[in-house]
Amino acid sequence: MQEELSRNIKKILPLSGNALELFISKFKPLSLKKSEHFIRQNQIHSKIGFILKGAMICYYLKDGGEFVEDFSFESEFVSDYFSILNNIPAQKNIRCIEDTDLAVIDYKDILELYGKNSIAERVGRIIAEGLFMRWQQKHKSFLLEDAMMRYQKLSDKNPELIQRVPQYLLASYLHVQPETLSRIRRKIALG
Amino acid sequence: MQEELSRNIKKILPLSGNALELFISKFKPLSLKKSEHFIRQNQIHSKIGFILKGAMICYYLKDGGEFVEDFSFESEFVSDYFSILNNIPAQKNIRCIEDTDLAVIDYKDILELYGKNSIAERVGRIIAEGLFMRWQQKHKSFLLEDAMMRYQKLSDKNPELIQRVPQYLLASYLHVQPETLSRIRRKIALG
DNA sequence: ATATTTCATTGACATAGGTCAATAAAAATA
DNA sequence: TATTTTTATTGACCTATGTCAATGAAATAT
């Protein structure tokens, strides 16, 4: 697993040599079946997963309903980073929507790395900056675009996702009802 | 200005001694009148302001309309950090809604600091983590709460803001029309 | 101080999206 | 493969919120 992990991590983080090896060595493999949870709301945890193969969703539970916040696929990290940083129980759920292989690291190992290796601190900053940008853009799209525009942009930018994800979850992610997404799709299909 | 700035920065960033002084020394004062812009969409820039006194809004222009993303007050930073990090022209506008005194630093000075001072990198990480958390929570509230709930939580958490900001801008921030916010307020007042 | 402009409120009405129910299609399971 | 469960589509209807217009209040400028 470590070789595959190393190869994939190198692609997305500016790490090499000693720092990379030290980082990689802390990961442990974890395989989950479709519909199994990696993290559940209210659970204490500090784990961060890296997806080697598979697909997952992050969602909030509210009034018995699921509100999808995000999808994650190969070579992406999954965690409730907010709750880890604040040292509080998970605020959200992370569940597999396909059989999934993960490499899992504990946040305390990352904190240790921050102490040991000066490059780690910089990588931590760059990751956090990336997360900030991603979430700001997400908020921007909710502020400026309606559901149809969000759907069209998503299917332009990430057509695979549309295929890979059930439509009722995609609807939740776009913040409309499944019926509404179905009507949006029909409207687009007709032109 | 530097003394006042130093006092305020100390409150919000884990900086002291040399690192603090070095950081503070790079700021330049700037005073803007109500309705003047600090940053305009499409403009090239790399400045970050720290509000000493006053109030500002960040907003996007789309189809001639203003979409308010955020308000900022004393002891808060304002910038289009996204465009700075990506080295692209500003994506948004930042304008004073009161006469405002700023201390302004250029991002290149911060980059320099990252090289010189190991603590700076950590502060940069912590700031970015804070930004990530803030924007993720903002997105979460749009996903889980309606405009009335968002208004109520905001006025509980930040009653001063409600007083200080014109209602039509607050409406835009909550992503409803001014008429709708007016009706939300009436509904709440009646119970 | 007065005039002018901007902002907040309210009503009437239109419309997008939500809800509920039925059916069809697809996927999972036996 | 057959059966059952889950998901997608469609129609009818309802409710939220947007739009437009009028009025009054507040802020700003002269």
Side-chain angles (χ1 to χ4, degrees), chain A residues 82-179:
Chain A
F82 179 90
S83 69
I84 292 176
L85 290 174
N86 289 292
N87 230 308
I88 57 173
Q91 304 296 293
K92 59 184 145 187
N93 307 276
I94 303 182
R95 162 162 50 91
C96 299
I97 58 173
E98 298 174 5
D99 293 354
T100 300
D101 295 330
L102 293 160
V104 181
I105 192 170
D106 197 283
Y107 186 59
K108 73 169 167 12
D109 290 324
I110 293 178
L111 280 180
E112 226 177 87
L113 238 62
Y114 284 154
K116 269 189 207 152
N117 194 308
S118 70
I119 201 78
E121 198 77 66
R122 168 163 297 205
V123 172
R125 169 171 66 83
I126 289 167
I127 289 178
E129 285 171 352
L131 286 170
F132 149 65
M133 291 192 282
R134 179 157 173 211
W135 287 97
Q136 194 187 51
Q137 291 303 104
K138 219 189 253 273
H139 181 264
K140 179 182 175 185
S141 87
F142 270 71
L143 209 54
L144 299 184
E145 295 156 10
D146 62 15
M148 186 185 288
M149 182 57 68
R150 292 202 298 280
Y151 176 78
Q152 285 182 310
K153 285 203 174 174
L154 186 65
S155 55
D156 285 355
K157 206 165 43 186
N158 202 345
E160 195 205 344
L161 183 146
I162 309 286
Q163 297 310 316
R164 215 166 156 185
V165 159
Q167 209 166 297
Y168 72 103
L169 292 178
L170 194 58
S172 172
Y173 176 79
L174 295 170
H175 208 209
V176 292
Q177 298 306 118
E179 293 92 331

Side-chain angles (χ1 to χ4, degrees), chain B residues 166-168 179 182-183 185-186:
Chain B
Q167 209 165 298
Y168 73 103
E179 293 92 332
S182 177
R183 288 175 183 123
R185 283 160 52 83
R186 181 174 48 175

Side-chain angles (χ1 to χ4, degrees), chain B residues 35-152:
Chain B
S35 95
E36 286 187 311
H37 278 82
F38 177 54
I39 284 170
R40 271 183 200 280
Q41 218 161 319
N42 301 319
Q43 166 190 298
I44 307 279
H45 72 100
S46 56
K47 47 191 177 173
I48 298 173
F50 181 83
I51 301 181
L52 296 166
K53 182 174 167 310
M56 305 178 95
I57 51 167
C58 288
Y59 65 98
Y60 295 99
L61 280 172
K62 167 128 181 173
D63 308 323
E66 295 187 356
F67 294 80
V68 176
E69 184 192 70
D70 212 358
F71 302 101
S72 301
F73 303 94
E74 285 81 7
S75 291
E76 294 181 348
F77 285 101
V78 286
S79 77
D80 185 348
Y81 201 35
F82 180 91
S83 69
I84 291 176
L85 290 174
N86 288 292
N87 231 309
I88 57 174
Q91 304 295 293
K92 58 182 138 182
N93 308 275
I94 304 182
R95 162 161 51 91
C96 299
I97 56 173
E98 299 174 4
D99 293 354
T100 299
D101 294 330
L102 293 160
V104 182
I105 191 170
D106 197 282
Y107 186 59
K108 72 168 168 14
D109 291 323
I110 292 178
L111 281 179
E112 227 176 88
L113 237 62
Y114 284 154
K116 269 191 207 151
N117 194 307
S118 69
I119 202 78
E121 197 77 66
R122 167 161 297 205
V123 172
R125 170 173 65 82
I126 290 169
I127 288 179
E129 285 171 353
L131 287 171
F132 150 65
M133 291 192 281
R134 178 156 174 212
W135 287 97
Q136 193 187 50
Q137 292 303 105
K138 219 189 254 273
H139 181 263
K140 180 182 175 186
S141 87
F142 269 71
L143 209 54
L144 299 184
E145 296 156 10
D146 60 16
M148 187 187 285
M149 182 57 68
R150 292 202 298 280
Y151 176 78
Q152 286 183 310

